[in-house]
């Protein structure tokens, strides 16, 4: 008697080729799997390219077969307390088939430039062979051994590696569909139940495994790049490594070679020059783009202004319209650029273990003395930056109010409570908190005594203190000796809040070799890298609805400002942008470029 017999359907008894092989396959033990995979690679010789659309269509057909089988089994056995074993496996685990199909089919369909072999696409054939070697069972260990053996003969491209989990799901779905096809006229289901148990076990395991880690461990190109002569590649975060691998993929395709071949050439060249590989993958852009941008703005604005003046036959109109027309032209060009240039993620180092010694940073809030409110903000910042570790310190860059003399009678009364509050924080958390104040200087403009140049002057004086130069800045609380090797200043306003780990992201970006500033001392400019990093800033719900002005002009509040990339037209197009007083400053670059440059 048939286990299930769909009404109104007739089926051919011709078995699927893959399932015939699965039925007769021998389980390959782990100690023989490497050689088995190498032999399979010799048989699956790649040649030519194709898309994954055909594989996705094939997966859809197998999915529909299983769906139809599941519906028939549910109709016949769904209400039974003890259905046949194989039917029970399908009834209980149908959700996994549906989940993996919906997750994997779009990935496979979107795939481009997959190498072909005698059994279809190379990753598809590889996944089926891997599944065959374990008679439906695939573990993380077997996955790694098989890929290592396969790539000892044929090295996979990064795109093929990334698609392997999706193709493995497709192979499992194809196998389950084959089991469903065989069960149509079967009277016993014990063997089918064992096969379904192995197949669903594979799906369940790979749903919880860190497949990205498995793929990265098997990535030959990534392993070659890890031999970076500068030793920087291994210390980068996952997103930056992926950017490097994608760049290698694009350049290798442009030169018509395989990715691992291009990567070896790159490492050899970098070793000869004793440089980081990133300088060859991402060469610095010239300044022609900025010149074209400025020229387009100026010429278009002049043309439009003269055109309007000619239409009105009035020269005075040209002068009156020049500024508004130039602003409209600039807004239009910026709008076009934002839709042409893709957001560019800054390369960064991995900060999961905390900020290293080379990235020692002091986070400061510029404020006027007057209470303990700002000290509480220091504690909030500390709690938000726990993951950054001991190499991130916190301080108040506090100024005394304007007075008639360099020293006023009430100065100590202002300084004492703040100093005591900072000292209490140091006792509670083991240091890393500071209070900085500056001497007053005579101002000719006001005839009063005040700290020099407010926030800009305070930052410049702090840079001088950290660099060991003469300064009027005083350390009122905290261990001054621990500041000597500090390389960066993270400057914030009193109302600025840091998202957890965002400080580490900024410091990690500053430490990347492509972002470290190279200064031309003669011109006083940073000609490569970045001396200042300005983070993305979002408006909180509370601030956005504080008054009528913010309701009208504040951007959309409440969203996660670090959940996705965001475009900044000048940074994306020209690798440079503005600075709004909140961000990370490289002490040496700041002093070299701005130490004596801006007049009072």
């Amino acid at each position: 008697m048939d286990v299930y017999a769909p009404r109104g359907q007739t089926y051919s008894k011709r078995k699927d080729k893959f399932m015939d092989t699965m039925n007769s396959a021998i389980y390959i033990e782990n100690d023989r799997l490497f050689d088995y995979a190498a032999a399979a690679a010799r048989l699956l010789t790649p040649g030519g390219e194709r898309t994954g659309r055909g594989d996705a269509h094939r997966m859809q057909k197998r999915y529909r077969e299983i769906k139809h089988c599941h519906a028939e089994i549910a109709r016949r056995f769904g209400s039974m307390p003890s259905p046949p074993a194989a039917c029970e496996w399908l009834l209980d685990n149908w959700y996994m088939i549906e989940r993996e199909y919906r997750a994997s089919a779009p990935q496979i369909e979107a795939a481009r430039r997959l190498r072909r072999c005698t059994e279809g696409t190379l990753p598809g054939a590889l996944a089926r062979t891997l599944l065959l070697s374990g008679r439906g069972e695939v573990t993380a260990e077997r996955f790694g051994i098989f890929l290592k053996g396969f790539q000892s003969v044929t090295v996979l491209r990064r795109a093929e590696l990334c698609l392997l989990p999706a193709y493995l799901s497709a192979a499992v779905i194809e196998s389950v569909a084959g089991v469903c096809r065989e069960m149509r006229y079967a009277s016993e289901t014990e063997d089918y139940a064992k096969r379904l148990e192995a197949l669903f076990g594979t799906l369940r395991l790979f749903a919880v495994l860190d497949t990205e880690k498995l793929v990265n461990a098997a990535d030959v190109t990534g392993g070659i790049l890890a031999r970076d002569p500068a030793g920087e590649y291994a210390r980068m975060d996952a997103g930056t490594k992926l950017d490097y691998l994608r760049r290698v993929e694009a350049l290798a395709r442009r030169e018509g070679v395989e990715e691992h071949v291009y990567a070896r050439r790159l490492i050899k060249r970098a070793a000869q020059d004793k440089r980081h590989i990133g300088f060859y993958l991402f060469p610095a852009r010239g300044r022609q783009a900025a010149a074209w941008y400025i020229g387009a703005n100026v010429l278009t604005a002049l043309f439009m202004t003269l055109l309007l003046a000619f239409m009105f036959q009035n020269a005075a109109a040209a002068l009156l319209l020049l500024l508004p027309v130039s602003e409209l032209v600039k807004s239009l060009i910026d709008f076009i650029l934002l839709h042409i240039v893709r957001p560019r993620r800054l390369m960064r180092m991995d900060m999961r273990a905390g900020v290293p010694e080379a990235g020692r940073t002091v986070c400061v809030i510029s404020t006027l003395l007057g209470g303990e409110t700002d000290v509480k903000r220091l504690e909030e910042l500390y709690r938000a930056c726990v993951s950054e570790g001991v190499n991130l310190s916190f301080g108040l860059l506090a100024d005394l109010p304007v007075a008639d003399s360099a020293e006023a009678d009430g100065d100590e009364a202002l300084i004492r409570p703040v100093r005591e509050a900072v000292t209490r924080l140091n006792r509670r958390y083991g240091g890393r908190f500071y209070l900085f104040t500056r001497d007053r200087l005579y101002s000719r403009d006001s005839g009063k005594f005040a700290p020099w140049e407010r926030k800009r002057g305070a930052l410049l004086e702090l840079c001088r203190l950290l660099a060991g130069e003469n300064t009027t800045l005083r350390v009122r609380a905290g261990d001054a000796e621990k500041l000597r090797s500090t390389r960066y200043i993270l400057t914030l306003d009193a109302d600025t809040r840091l998202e957890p780990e965002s400080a580490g992201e900024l410091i990690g970006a500053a430490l990347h070799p492509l972002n470290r500033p190279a200064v031309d001392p003669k011109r006083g400019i940073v000609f490569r890298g970045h001396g200042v990093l300005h983070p993305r800033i979002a408006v909180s719900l509370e601030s956005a609805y504080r008054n009528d002005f913010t309701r009208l002009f504040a951007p959309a509040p409440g969203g996660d400002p670090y959940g996705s990339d965001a475009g900044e037209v000048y940074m994306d197009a020209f690798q440079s942008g503005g600075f709004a007083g909140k961000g990370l400053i490289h002490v040496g670059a700041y002093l070299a470029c701005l130490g004596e440059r801006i007049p009072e």
Side-chain angles (χ1 to χ4, degrees), residues 122-398:
L122 185 61
L126 189 154
R128 289 192 293 272
T129 306
L130 172 59
L131 196 66
L132 179 69
S133 70
R135 292 185 60 86
E137 177 196 357
V138 180
T139 64
E141 183 182 8
R142 290 181 66 83
F143 188 87
I145 295 172
F146 189 92
L147 284 182
K148 190 173 181 180
F150 192 93
Q151 292 191 103
S152 66
V153 177
T154 301
V155 177
L156 295 172
R157 297 171 180 174
R158 174 75 187 183
E160 295 167 342
L161 269 174
C162 292
L163 282 170
L164 272 183
Y167 268 106
L168 185 59
S169 296
V172 171
I173 289 174
E174 184 175 352
S175 298
V176 173
V179 173
C180 291
R181 209 174 301 128
E182 290 184 34
M183 286 169 53
R184 291 171 193 149
Y185 304 101
S187 57
E188 297 293 335
T189 63
E190 184 177 349
D191 289 341
Y192 299 120
K194 291 179 180 178
R195 283 156 57 184
L196 289 175
E197 180 181 4
L199 292 168
F200 283 119
T202 296
L203 280 188
R204 185 179 294 107
L205 176 64
F206 274 78
V208 297
L209 278 179
D210 186 351
T211 53
E212 183 179 356
K213 185 177 180 180
L214 290 176
V215 167
N216 288 337
D219 188 359
V220 172
T221 303
I224 295 170
L225 295 185
R227 302 201 295 266
D228 173 24
E232 304 285 5
Y233 180 85
R235 296 195 292 269
M236 296 177 190
D237 73 348
T240 302
K241 289 179 179 178
L242 183 57
D243 288 338
Y244 274 55
L245 290 168
R246 286 172 175 166
R247 183 64 175 168
V248 167
E249 180 183 0
L251 294 176
R253 187 165 60 247
R254 186 184 304 172
E255 294 195 11
V257 298
E258 290 301 320
E259 295 162 18
H260 65 283
V261 174
Y262 184 89
R264 287 192 177 92
R265 293 179 186 174
L266 181 66
I267 291 295
K268 183 177 180 181
R269 182 180 176 188
Q272 290 173 346
D273 298 341
K274 297 180 180 179
R275 297 189 76 194
H276 169 56
I277 56 176
F279 292 109
Y280 306 101
L281 291 174
F282 303 95
R285 302 178 190 173
R287 297 192 175 271
Q288 294 85 355
W292 278 104
Y293 172 79
I294 295 171
N297 271 286
V298 172
L299 293 176
T300 306
L302 285 176
F303 173 79
M304 295 300 297
T305 303
L306 292 174
L307 181 62
L308 290 171
F310 178 77
M311 290 172 60
F312 292 112
Q313 296 184 351
N314 189 335
L319 295 175
L320 292 173
L321 290 171
L322 181 59
L323 286 178
V325 168
S326 63
E327 184 64 25
L328 287 172
V329 168
K330 179 181 178 300
S331 298
L332 177 62
I333 293 176
D334 287 355
F335 176 81
I336 294 171
L337 278 178
L338 275 173
H339 286 76
I340 293 176
V341 182
R342 295 180 61 186
R344 190 174 64 89
R345 180 182 183 272
L346 277 179
M347 308 295 180
R348 59 199 71 182
M349 309 303 283
D350 189 354
M351 295 287 111
R352 286 178 298 176
V355 176
E357 182 71 24
R360 283 181 67 91
T361 303
V362 57
C363 176
V364 294
I365 298 174
S366 298
T367 185
L368 284 172
L369 282 173
E372 293 191 22
T373 303
D374 293 326
V375 179
K376 293 179 181 178
R377 287 286 299 117
L378 284 187
E379 188 171 12
E380 290 176 13
L381 290 172
Y382 170 83
R383 292 179 182 276
C385 299
V386 170
S387 62
E388 276 72 10
V390 298
N391 288 317
L392 177 60
S393 303
F394 307 89
L396 284 180
L397 202 53

Side-chain angles (χ1 to χ4, degrees), residues 111-127:
R112 300 292 182 268
R113 300 188 180 92
L114 298 177
R115 286 181 289 180
R116 292 183 300 181
C117 63
T118 53
E119 300 295 328
T121 58
L122 185 61
L126 189 154

Side-chain angles (χ1 to χ4, degrees), residues 308-566:
L308 290 171
F310 178 77
M311 290 172 60
F312 292 112
Q313 296 184 351
N314 189 335
L319 295 175
L320 292 173
L321 290 171
L322 181 59
L323 286 178
V325 168
S326 63
E327 184 64 25
L328 287 172
V329 168
K330 179 181 178 300
S331 298
L332 177 62
I333 293 176
D334 287 355
F335 176 81
I336 294 171
L337 278 178
L338 275 173
H339 286 76
I340 293 176
V341 182
R342 295 180 61 186
R344 190 174 64 89
R345 180 182 183 272
L346 277 179
M347 308 295 180
R348 59 199 71 182
M349 309 303 283
D350 189 354
M351 295 287 111
R352 286 178 298 176
V355 176
E357 182 71 24
R360 283 181 67 91
T361 303
V362 57
C363 176
V364 294
I365 298 174
S366 298
T367 185
L368 284 172
L369 282 173
E372 293 191 22
T373 303
D374 293 326
V375 179
K376 293 179 181 178
R377 287 286 299 117
L378 284 187
E379 188 171 12
E380 290 176 13
L381 290 172
Y382 170 83
R383 292 179 182 276
C385 299
V386 170
S387 62
E388 276 72 10
V390 298
N391 288 317
L392 177 60
S393 303
F394 307 89
L396 284 180
L397 202 53
D399 278 342
L400 293 163
V402 177
D404 294 326
S405 60
E407 296 182 1
D409 293 338
D411 288 354
E412 184 59 28
L414 289 172
I415 294 172
R416 187 188 307 111
V418 181
R419 180 174 58 214
E420 290 175 353
V422 172
T423 301
R424 284 196 297 271
L425 285 180
N426 280 325
R427 284 199 297 266
R428 185 181 305 165
Y429 297 111
R432 296 166 56 195
F433 293 92
Y434 295 88
L435 171 62
F436 306 100
T437 65
R438 293 187 292 159
D439 295 337
R440 295 187 184 93
L441 298 177
Y442 180 72
S443 173
R444 294 179 182 177
D445 294 336
S446 63
K448 301 280 188 177
F449 286 82
W452 173 70
E453 286 292 317
R454 288 300 183 190
K455 185 174 182 178
R456 183 176 73 84
L459 288 173
L460 182 57
E461 291 295 324
L462 179 58
C463 286
R464 287 171 176 163
L465 174 71
L466 298 178
E469 298 181 4
N470 293 328
T471 176
T472 62
L473 194 69
R474 299 186 186 184
V475 181
R476 298 282 187 171
D479 188 350
E481 287 301 318
K482 290 184 178 179
L483 291 172
R484 295 301 179 187
S485 59
T486 301
R487 183 176 293 184
Y488 298 100
I489 298 171
L490 178 56
T491 174
L492 304 173
D493 292 334
D495 62 346
T496 307
R497 280 172 165 70
L498 279 179
E499 296 286 331
E501 300 184 3
S502 57
E505 291 283 317
L506 272 175
I507 298 167
L511 287 174
H512 191 276
L514 298 185
N515 298 328
R516 295 170 195 165
V519 179
D520 183 342
K522 294 183 179 178
R523 294 184 293 167
I525 63 168
V526 174
F527 64 87
R528 188 180 66 239
H530 305 287
V532 175
L533 288 179
H534 178 53
R536 181 181 178 187
I537 300 171
V539 178
S540 65
L541 283 168
E542 179 185 2
S543 300
Y545 298 104
R546 183 169 293 172
N547 52 49
D548 292 338
F549 179 84
T550 57
R551 284 190 181 94
L552 284 172
F553 294 102
D560 175 15
Y562 298 99
S564 60
D565 290 338

